[in-house]
Amino acid sequence: MEMEKRISLELRNKTPAEVAELVVDNCRSSDGEVEGLSDDYKELEFLSMVNVGLTSLAKLPSLPKLLKLEISDNMIVGGLDQLSEKCPNLTYLNLSGNKIKELSTVKPLKNLKNLKSLDLYSCEITTLEDYRESVFELLPQVTFLDGYDHEDNEVPDSEADDDDNEGLDSEADDDDEHTAGPTRDGDDDEDDEGEEVGLSYLMKDGIQVIIHQTHVQLSLSLRGYTPDSV
């Protein structure tokens, strides 16, 4: 699907000015440029254009509120100076899987004063000697490069941790309900069944005793005996 048509569908009866998040991954740019976006998307904070065939950012509109930009798995080789002009408040930028080879290509990102996280996975630049040290030196405002800081500490993700913990707690509660609950009910059923069996057995045995005693008394009576004489 063409990028412009995909963006139109993603609006979902909203106006461009009402859109804060836009994901158009895996559609197609007809000429390698950004298509279907305009300056009207002034409230946009998150934009994802993964694997859409981009070769240039020249036609990226002005997006003053954009904080996160995902443009991985494209064919971008340069022109990153466009970002500081059109998306000056970016805090996160994913350029993984593009055709970026030299440190000079990412140098314009220095003008993104709020940029904290930069991803360059699978770009040829990552094969350069002292790649990480060089990027951190070139872009001192960046805290995390490819998911790790200068001391190789991973990017914290407290929201994901909270979601995982909630999921684990929920699963644990379900397990408790499915194991402890039925087991107690089963024990109660077994106890009740045992009581019923024991009672029926006693009742049956008592009936047999009574019948036996009655039969003996009748036999003795017919023979002229009484219980006292016996």
Side-chain angles (χ1 to χ4, degrees), residues 91-121:
T91 61
Y92 171 81
L93 175 62
N94 189 344
L95 289 165
S96 302
N98 279 281
K99 307 297 181 180
I100 297 172
K101 302 179 180 180
E102 304 293 337
L103 287 171
S104 58
T105 304
V106 299
K107 186 176 181 179
L109 299 180
K110 188 173 184 179
N111 295 321
L112 288 170
K113 303 301 183 181
N114 297 319
L115 187 63
K116 299 300 180 186
S117 183
L118 173 65
D119 286 340
L120 294 167
Y121 288 119

Side-chain angles (χ1 to χ4, degrees), residues 202-217:
L202 291 174
M203 291 178 64
K204 181 179 180 182
D205 186 63
I207 291 172
Q208 289 176 341
V209 170
I210 293 171
I211 293 174
H212 177 69
Q213 290 175 346
T214 303
H215 178 71
V216 170
Q217 289 175 355

Side-chain angles (χ1 to χ4, degrees), residues 37-168:
L37 285 178
S38 68
D39 294 346
D40 293 333
Y41 289 83
K42 55 186 178 181
E43 299 297 323
L44 198 61
E45 297 179 359
F46 176 85
L47 174 61
S48 183
M49 299 184 289
V50 175
N51 188 34
V52 298
L54 290 179
T55 59
S56 169
L57 297 173
K59 293 185 179 180
L60 185 71
S62 177
L63 303 171
K65 291 190 176 182
L66 194 68
L67 300 177
K68 296 184 178 182
L69 179 61
E70 293 265 6
I71 45 177
S72 59
D73 298 326
N74 285 290
M75 296 175 286
I76 297 170
V77 297
L80 300 184
D81 54 305
Q82 300 287 334
L83 294 176
S84 59
E85 296 175 11
K86 299 177 178 181
C87 313
N89 292 308
L90 274 183
T91 61
Y92 171 81
L93 175 62
N94 189 344
L95 289 165
S96 302
N98 279 281
K99 307 297 181 180
I100 297 172
K101 302 179 180 180
E102 304 293 337
L103 287 171
S104 58
T105 304
V106 299
K107 186 176 181 179
L109 299 180
K110 188 173 184 179
N111 295 321
L112 288 170
K113 303 301 183 181
N114 297 319
L115 187 63
K116 299 300 180 186
S117 183
L118 173 65
D119 286 340
L120 294 167
Y121 288 119
S122 300
C123 292
E124 193 172 333
I125 189 176
T126 61
T127 64
L128 297 177
E129 187 176 358
D130 298 326
Y131 150 70
R132 289 182 58 81
E133 290 77 7
S134 299
V135 172
F136 277 123
E137 183 178 351
L138 187 64
L139 307 173
Q141 82 277 29
V142 171
T143 303
F144 297 100
L145 177 61
D146 300 333
Y148 294 86
D149 67 11
H150 204 316
E151 298 178 352
D152 290 332
N153 295 312
E154 193 171 3
V155 175
D157 192 351
S158 57
E159 291 183 2
D161 292 341
D162 291 342
D163 291 341
D164 290 343
N165 290 335
E166 289 177 4
L168 291 174

